Amino acid sequence: MKLSIDLGGTNIRVAQVEEGRCLSKVSVPCLAQQDAPIVLDQLFQLVRSMMNEQVDGIGIGVPSIVDSEKGIVYNVANISSWKEIRLKEILENEFNVAVAINNDSNCFALGESLYGEGKPYDNMVGVTIGTGIGAGVIIGRRLYGGQFMGAGEIGSFPYLDADFERYCSSFFFKRHDTTGAAAAENARQGEQAALDIWKEFGMHLGNLVKVILFAYAPQAIVLGGGIVAAYPFFKDTMEYTMQSFPYRVMLDNVRVIASHQNDSSLLGASALLE
């Protein structure tokens, strides 16, 4: 059995994982604004609550660039105190089991490739859309991380007056003085202003999909994260925007799929140990 951790600036999730299934899960709000030792102590307490004699490894996904060999995480998104944390060494010393660490979006892509919508495809990109935006790249059914596991940092590609993260994640809704959850609820009530916000969001995401096609030419792009729950509200304008991609044969042979799994990142993190 593995312990799997999805560490985010909003929540920390920990699960016991065996044979591609989450047996038990816990999720708590992350103390992201606190000093580094306080966040570490919170993580320790969560891990202790889930540890037993059957656990022989810990896999963890972190929203940062990662030295996966040494297990060092750098400049963790939304946890400002984590500038350079030797997380593998710290956890191994504390719990005496093997620890593997990677970027959280890479874990999502790996989980989808092994257990989710990406299973049929040799080459795919998993995109996480939530507080920020990131991606993991699967080539030949293997995770490609590049240097410091930074190959999927698509949110930082320049776009309009900023970058894609400002237009394809929760930052977009802040521009409209709302949140993704509120915009989705208002859209469900048929509010035209909210429906228009989602149409605009779909246009920006369609432009990002075209960039992914240029950069990676995958067979499939799997979308995950909290905002994807509103997929029906932005799917049409996303697909319409994609139509201007210049290579028709590539466009006709890529599938853009909304993930239906809640645990892909946790399953992918556990697979880091295999």
Side-chain angles (χ1 to χ4, degrees), residues 50-271:
M50 301 289 277
M51 282 292 284
N52 60 42
E53 64 277 359
Q54 294 174 285
V55 173
D56 59 8
I58 298 172
I60 178 167
V62 182
S64 69
I65 57 172
V66 178
D67 182 331
S68 59
E69 229 175 89
K70 296 178 181 177
I72 305 172
V73 300
Y74 299 92
N75 304 108
V76 177
N78 302 311
I79 306 178
S80 58
S81 64
W82 280 30
K83 301 297 185 189
E84 181 177 331
I85 303 290
R86 295 181 171 272
L87 194 55
K88 174 181 169 71
E89 179 182 322
I90 290 168
L91 289 172
E92 286 184 342
N93 288 341
E94 186 71 21
F95 297 106
N96 297 309
V97 295
V99 174
I101 303 174
N102 212 305
N103 173 270
D104 60 341
S105 295
N106 287 348
C107 291
F108 168 77
L110 186 58
E112 284 291 334
S113 177
L114 292 172
Y115 305 108
E117 303 290 350
K119 279 181 74 173
Y121 306 102
D122 291 334
N123 306 305
M124 60 153 282
V125 174
V127 180
T128 53
I129 309 171
T131 306
I133 190 163
V137 182
I138 302 293
I139 299 174
R141 296 190 179 273
R142 295 179 65 86
L143 179 66
Y144 173 72
Q147 191 169 212
F148 293 101
M149 297 295 129
E153 295 298 327
I154 57 172
S156 296
F157 288 1
Y159 181 62
L160 299 179
D161 62 338
D163 57 24
F164 275 103
E165 186 157 83
R166 297 288 157 175
Y167 286 89
C168 297
S169 73
S170 62
F171 290 104
F172 169 79
F173 298 96
K174 290 179 183 176
R175 286 173 172 260
H176 288 273
D177 298 316
T178 187
T179 65
E185 179 57 34
N186 291 338
R188 279 189 282 272
Q189 301 298 324
E191 184 182 297
Q192 190 59 49
L195 292 168
D196 290 343
I197 286 172
W198 284 109
K199 287 178 182 178
E200 183 187 345
F201 181 83
M203 181 268 291
H204 296 308
L205 191 61
N207 284 328
L208 180 59
V209 168
K210 290 188 290 184
V211 169
I212 292 170
L213 288 174
F214 278 123
Y216 302 112
Q219 296 164 293
I221 299 169
V222 181
L223 307 178
I227 289 175
V228 174
Y231 189 59
F233 297 126
F234 62 83
K235 177 178 182 285
D236 289 348
T237 50
M238 178 193 73
E239 292 180 344
Y240 178 80
T241 304
M242 288 166 55
Q243 299 309 305
S244 61
F245 187 76
Y247 304 125
R248 190 76 218 177
V249 67
M250 287 175 61
L251 190 64
D252 289 344
N253 286 280
V254 68
R255 289 201 63 208
V256 180
I257 313 163
S259 172
H260 298 292
Q261 297 228 38
N262 294 321
D263 297 328
S264 296
S265 295
L266 290 167
L267 296 177
S270 71

